[in-house]
């Protein structure tokens, strides 16, 4: 795990915890959770993503799939403060990704669930501002809790998406009632994780919508083993 909980004002806001022996893996997955996760839940969600990837890649053991690093941030607060904290994690995550690319070198596939999409979008803007668009192998949003026009070419994150040297995939499901009802009521807009990019908008370069309504039954199933959309995701991303 990488955590910024209680550390955002520190000189070095990210801290590594747990085992970092990846056994010579070709790449790693960085999983960024969404709203309402305490430290234990953040770890559990990253572990679920690991199990889902192992199942989707046909690994014979739960440790046989791509290694997963969980990014743990203080999202276990109310909706408004959580969005501000998501934005505040842009610089720390950009710092970590840049250091990883320079020091460790294994390609990073970033998976973001729910409000983790806001952390990710803000981080892509930060990386673009720094001229470090080379630190990611791919970006995948699962049930992204950000406006459906924010990923447009002229949207909040559009230019940063176009600048990144990696494909950006948006996996969305109309069965996601949290986004279809709760998010829409609270933010008075449609979520990109429910119906994809706004119909009237133009997509930035390297951005792709992928409808997984046939696979994903609710907001919490995207990366679950056997019942989420990871088999389709890894096929599009190219993870083995």
């Amino acid at each position: 795990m990488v955590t910024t909980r209680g550390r955002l004002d520190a000189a070095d806001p990210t801290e590594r915890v747990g085992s970092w022996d990846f056994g010579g893996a070709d790449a790693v997955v960085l999983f960024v959770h969404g709203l309402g996760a305490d430290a234990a839940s953040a770890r559990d969600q990253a572990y679920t993503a690991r199990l889902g990837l192992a199942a989707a890649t046909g690994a014979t053991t739960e440790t046989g799939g791509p290694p997963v690093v969980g990014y743990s941030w203080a999202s276990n607060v109310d909706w408004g403060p959580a969005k501000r904290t998501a934005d505040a994690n842009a610089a720390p995550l950009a710092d970590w990704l840049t250091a990883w690319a320079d020091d460790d070198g294994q390609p990073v596939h970033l998976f973001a669930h729910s409000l983790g999409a806001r952390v990710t979008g803000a981080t892509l803007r930060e990386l673009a501002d720094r001229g470090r668009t080379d630190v990611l192998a791919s970006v995948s949003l699962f049930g992204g809790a950000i406006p459906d026009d924010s990923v447009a070419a002229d949207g909040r994150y559009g230019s940063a998406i176009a600048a990144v040297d990696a494909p950006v995939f948006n996996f969305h499901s109309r069965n996601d009632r949290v986004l279809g009802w709760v998010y829409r009521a609270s933010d008075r807009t449609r979520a990109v994780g429910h119906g994809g990019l706004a119909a009237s908008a133009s997509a930035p370069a390297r951005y792709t919508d992928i409808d997984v309504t046939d696979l994903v039954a609710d907001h919490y199933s995207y990366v679950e083993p056997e019942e989420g959309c990871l088999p389709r995701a890894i096929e599009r991303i190219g993870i083995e």
Side-chain angles (χ1 to χ4, degrees):
M1 301 293 293
V2 177
T3 181
T4 61
R5 293 176 184 270
R7 300 179 57 89
L8 285 178
D9 294 329
D12 182 4
T14 58
E15 179 184 15
R16 292 190 185 192
V17 295
S19 173
W20 287 79
D21 181 8
F22 297 144
D26 294 333
V28 300
V29 170
L30 181 70
F31 181 82
V32 184
H33 64 77
L35 178 70
D38 59 16
S41 177
R43 183 178 62 249
D44 290 345
Q45 290 184 48
Y47 183 63
T48 296
R50 182 177 183 178
L51 295 180
L53 282 165
T57 56
T60 56
T61 66
E62 65 182 41
T63 59
V68 174
V69 176
Y71 186 81
S72 182
W73 60 286
S75 72
N76 50 328
V77 292
D78 291 339
W79 179 242
K83 290 194 291 184
R84 292 191 289 273
T85 302
D87 291 337
N89 270 267
L93 182 50
D95 288 343
W96 189 86
L97 288 168
T98 300
W100 178 271
D102 292 343
D103 299 337
D104 294 86
Q106 289 164 311
V108 175
H109 297 279
L110 195 157
F111 285 14
H113 176 244
S114 191
L115 193 59
R118 187 172 180 120
V119 177
T120 301
T123 300
L124 293 181
R125 293 179 69 182
E126 181 72 19
L127 290 168
D129 288 345
R130 298 182 186 187
R132 289 306 306 263
T133 58
D134 59 336
V135 301
L136 289 165
S138 71
V139 177
S140 296
L141 311 180
F142 297 93
I146 53 176
D148 62 356
D149 61 356
S150 67
V151 296
D154 59 352
R156 179 182 179 91
Y157 308 118
S159 61
I161 291 171
V164 69
D165 298 333
V168 177
F169 300 103
N170 175 50
F171 297 92
H172 60 93
S173 171
R174 291 196 176 276
N175 294 324
D176 190 330
R177 293 176 179 82
V178 169
L179 297 181
W181 294 95
V182 180
Y183 176 88
R184 189 174 179 184
S186 63
D187 272 29
R188 302 183 185 279
T189 187
R190 298 178 186 272
V192 73
H194 185 251
L197 175 67
S200 60
S202 298
R206 305 186 71 84
Y207 173 91
T208 304
D209 270 332
I210 301 175
D211 191 338
V212 291
T213 302
D214 60 320
L215 297 176
V216 175
D218 57 56
H219 187 60
Y220 304 101
S221 299
Y222 288 88
V223 300
E224 288 281 345
E226 311 298 341
E227 60 181 275
C229 64
L230 284 182
R232 185 171 298 170
I234 64 170
E235 181 180 351
R236 295 300 301 268
I237 297 167
I239 298 176
E240 297 181 357

